[in-house]
Amino acid sequence: MDKLTFTAYTDDKYSSKIGSNTILIDPDNLKFCKEIVYLEDKQLGTVGWSNKFERYKPESLFMKFTIDCTGIAEGTKDSDNVYDKIHDIEKNLYVYNSDGHRPSYVLVQYVELLFKGQVRKMDVDYNLFSNEGVPLQAIVELTFNGFRCSEEERKKFFKQSPDMSRLITVKDGETLPFLCHKLYGDSLLVYQVARFNDLNSFRNIPAGTELLFPPLKKD
C-alpha cells in the first residue's frame, strides 16, 4: 500500500508549508486532463478552416478515495473518526487561508505522481454508518486545477518555433546583449528580455542560467 499525501502551502512557490494529510488507502480512481485551446481562423465563403494555437489550459487532476474507519483498513486506529479526517483534509486543501488570503496551493504526491495545483471541487459521500448514526466510511472526490508560478510555467511551456519563445542556457563568455543580437538582430532588446525574465540587471549573468526569449521585433 502506497501513501497518498496532500501538502498545503500559502504561496505559489510552494515554500511556506501549512500542513499535510496522508491517506493510507490507495485511490480508487486517478484521472488527468490536458487541453489545448485553438483559435478558429475561418474565412468568409470557405468550407473548412484552420486552427491556430493559442495556449495550453491548466492541467487538471481528479481522484477518488475512501476514508474507512470501520477498523478493517490497514493503519486505522479505534480512535479514528471519519468526520475528523474529512475536516483535516478540508482545512488544509479547501478552506480559505488567512495567511495566503486564498485557498491553499497543494502538492499531491502518490508513488511517482507529483502534481501542483489548487482544489476546484470537493465532494464527500458518507455511505456507511454505525447503529448510532456515526459515519464509518466516506468516499471523497477531489478535483484539482494545475498551478505553477510564472517562472515554472514559462520554462515548461516554452515554444521552439522561430516566431515563439525559446529557452536558452547561457554559456561561458555569452552576454545578454550578444544573445539578443544573435536571436533578434538587435542588442537593444536586452531590456525587454531582462524584464521578461525578472532580472534586476542584464550584466554578469552566470553561465548555466536559463533565460526565456519571447517573440520580439525590432522597432
Side-chain angles (χ1 to χ4, degrees):
M1 180 180 295
D2 296 295
K3 293 181 180 179
L4 169 63
T5 303
F6 307 110
T7 308
Y9 297 85
T10 60
D11 62 308
D12 61 3
K13 291 183 172 57
Y14 299 86
S15 61
S16 183
K17 180 179 175 180
I18 301 171
S20 63
N21 306 96
T22 299
I23 311 299
L24 295 178
I25 296 178
D26 293 330
D28 301 315
N29 184 265
L30 284 173
K31 180 181 178 181
F32 288 94
C33 181
K34 298 182 179 183
E35 187 174 353
I36 299 175
V37 177
Y38 293 97
L39 291 177
E40 295 182 356
D41 184 15
K42 185 175 181 180
Q43 298 181 1
L44 185 64
T46 59
V47 177
W49 59 87
S50 61
N51 290 332
K52 183 178 180 181
F53 170 82
E54 181 185 12
R55 60 187 170 86
Y56 288 98
K57 277 191 174 183
E59 299 174 3
S60 65
L61 169 66
F62 168 82
M63 62 171 53
K64 181 170 71 172
F65 56 88
T66 302
I67 300 293
D68 191 310
C69 293
T70 60
I72 299 176
E74 180 182 342
T76 57
K77 305 174 184 177
D78 293 340
S79 58
D80 285 346
N81 181 283
V82 170
Y83 278 138
D84 290 342
K85 289 182 176 291
I86 296 298
H87 174 73
D88 287 342
I89 294 173
E90 187 174 337
K91 180 178 67 175
N92 278 332
L93 275 59
Y94 187 84
V95 173
Y96 184 90
N97 181 271
S98 58
D99 292 331
H101 305 291
R102 56 171 301 120
S104 303
Y105 298 92
V106 183
L107 178 64
V108 182
Q109 295 174 281
Y110 177 69
V111 194
E112 296 182 357
L113 166 67
L114 185 65
F115 186 89
K116 292 180 177 180
Q118 300 162 299
V119 170
R120 187 176 80 223
K121 187 178 180 183
M122 179 176 179
D123 291 324
V124 181
D125 179 15
Y126 297 97
N127 62 351
L128 183 63
F129 298 84
S130 68
N131 293 332
E132 293 76 25
V134 177
L136 300 176
Q137 195 176 80
I139 298 174
V140 181
E141 296 183 357
L142 290 171
T143 303
F144 297 88
N145 277 350
F147 180 87
R148 298 178 181 84
C149 65
S150 57
E151 180 181 355
E152 289 181 304
E153 196 70 17
R154 287 200 303 267
K155 289 183 178 181
K156 181 174 177 63
F157 293 112
F158 72 92
K159 293 86 177 176
Q160 293 287 6
S161 60
D163 60 335
M164 293 186 180
S165 302
R166 284 170 286 185
L167 188 67
I168 301 294
T169 301
V170 178
K171 300 178 182 178
D172 284 325
E174 290 183 335
T175 64
L176 191 53
F178 166 79
L179 291 171
C180 287
H181 185 272
K182 178 180 177 181
L183 295 172
Y184 304 120
D186 187 354
S187 60
L188 294 180
L189 293 175
V190 64
Y191 298 100
Q192 295 184 50
V193 175
R195 285 196 299 269
F196 189 79
N197 287 275
D198 298 324
L199 299 177
N200 294 324
S201 171
F202 61 82
R203 296 180 175 85
N204 302 320
I205 298 176
T209 301
E210 290 185 333
L211 297 175
L212 194 65
F213 289 80
L216 299 174
K217 293 182 181 180
K218 294 187 289 184
D219 294 333

